[in-house]
Amino acid sequence: MIYTPENLHYCIAATFDDFSAWEKERIARGFFPISISLAGPASQPLYTAVMVKFEPAIPSQSLPRLSEDELAGKIAELGAADQPLHPYLISATGSGTDIIYAVSFRSMATKPHVMLDMPQSTYRLENGAQRKLGRILLWVDAFGPPDDIRYCAIWEDNSDRVAWNADAVDDRKEGRQQRFEAMNSIDVRPALVALTPTRGVARLFVDTRLRHGWYSLPERRRAAFQTALTGQEAAGRLPIRIATTLAD
């Protein structure tokens, strides 16, 4: 599919009310969420998202604000329906007992493995365990305080046997760029990116080729980021993954 300004829309750092209206209007027009990121306190979250219009439309259900218990209940409820839906996007913000999640569900060939609130050590171990089980990371987000980063993630069956690694769990400064350059040198590309509370990044790298050229934009503050997006759009490239966090 070739993305165009007509079939791919995105919003950056929208309030809950503005995002809810933006998303609802596009869902009514057949758009489908492909990226979601939350930032800020749980009481006043900011939403960044990308939506694409597919033909025919892909049935999905999105919920922008749930507690962990509400999300766990919704996963169980929709997964047990006659036509089950499973989460494929999850983002979170907040810390401690004050965490909210945004989630999107769709039909999937097999039930994915979902974990909602992991410390970094568990996330590292889970990636290794899921790889051994023949799964691949489908989505990840990082949240919480800088001294206790938490992760929520989804793994799905790796039916195409894609080679992947998610060793970048909180890459910062020089190390972040060094890993990117090392991966890029062997023709491996980033497929997922999440900003961490330390202003590092968690990334998934995959050994697959795209039909068209790609570009990965490093950390930018909002004005500079928007300028870079405008330049990329002029070159015929639109964003499919946007991660956000609050700058210090």
Side-chain angles (χ1 to χ4, degrees):
M1 179 177 182
I2 303 297
Y3 295 131
T4 70
E6 287 69 43
N7 64 27
L8 185 148
H9 293 176
Y10 60 88
C11 72
I12 299 175
T15 64
F16 173 77
D17 289 341
D18 288 346
F19 171 74
S20 297
W22 179 88
E23 182 184 48
K24 182 178 180 180
E25 190 270 338
R26 279 155 183 79
I27 287 175
R29 292 164 53 192
F31 279 75
F32 176 82
I34 64 168
S35 178
I36 182 71
S37 179
L38 295 187
S43 59
Q44 294 180 304
L46 297 175
Y47 293 78
T48 295
V50 182
M51 299 185 74
V52 171
K53 187 173 184 178
F54 292 102
E55 298 290 351
I58 298 176
S60 65
Q61 183 175 148
S62 295
L63 299 164
R65 187 168 186 152
L66 296 173
S67 69
E68 185 170 330
D69 286 345
E70 289 171 335
L71 176 53
K74 186 59 69 172
I75 290 172
E77 174 192 336
L78 295 181
D82 291 339
Q83 295 182 324
L85 299 177
H86 301 292
Y88 69 96
L89 299 178
I90 292 180
S91 182
T93 195
S95 61
T97 58
D98 189 19
I99 299 169
I100 63 163
Y101 295 84
V103 59
S104 291
F105 295 84
R106 63 173 170 84
S107 60
M108 301 176 71
T110 58
K111 181 180 178 180
H113 180 65
V114 182
M115 296 188 71
L116 300 180
D117 187 1
M118 295 173 283
Q120 188 177 112
S121 57
T122 300
Y123 175 61
R124 287 184 183 275
L125 291 171
E126 200 63 30
N127 275 318
Q130 294 303 312
R131 184 184 291 106
K132 290 179 180 179
L133 291 171
R135 297 192 179 108
I136 185 171
L137 186 66
L138 174 63
W139 196 258
V140 62
D141 194 23
F143 58 99
D147 60 351
D148 184 24
I149 302 173
R150 314 298 290 186
Y151 296 81
C152 53
I154 306 170
W155 295 263
E156 67 173 345
D157 284 353
N158 189 5
S159 56
D160 293 331
R161 300 181 64 83
V162 173
W164 65 279
N165 82 71
D167 295 337
V169 301
D170 184 29
D171 283 357
R172 309 178 202 174
K173 299 181 180 179
E174 294 84 2
R176 174 171 60 187
Q177 187 62 25
Q178 288 168 359
R179 189 189 300 273
F180 177 83
E181 291 175 357
M183 294 292 99
N184 194 40
S185 71
I186 57 173
D187 216 16
V188 173
R189 66 180 179 86
L192 298 176
V193 60
L195 291 178
T196 69
T198 61
R199 293 182 63 177
V201 295
R203 284 191 287 209
L204 165 71
F205 289 93
V206 296
D207 186 14
T208 60
R209 302 287 182 89
L210 295 175
R211 293 174 57 190
H212 306 281
W214 60 273
Y215 179 79
S216 180
L217 181 66
E219 175 188 331
R220 293 285 190 276
R221 290 187 182 266
R222 183 166 182 173
F225 184 67
Q226 189 61 60
T227 298
L229 282 181
T230 300
Q232 289 300 309
E233 289 180 29
R237 288 184 287 265
L238 294 168
I240 59 171
R241 304 282 185 265
I242 307 175
T244 54
T245 191
L246 288 186
D248 52 20

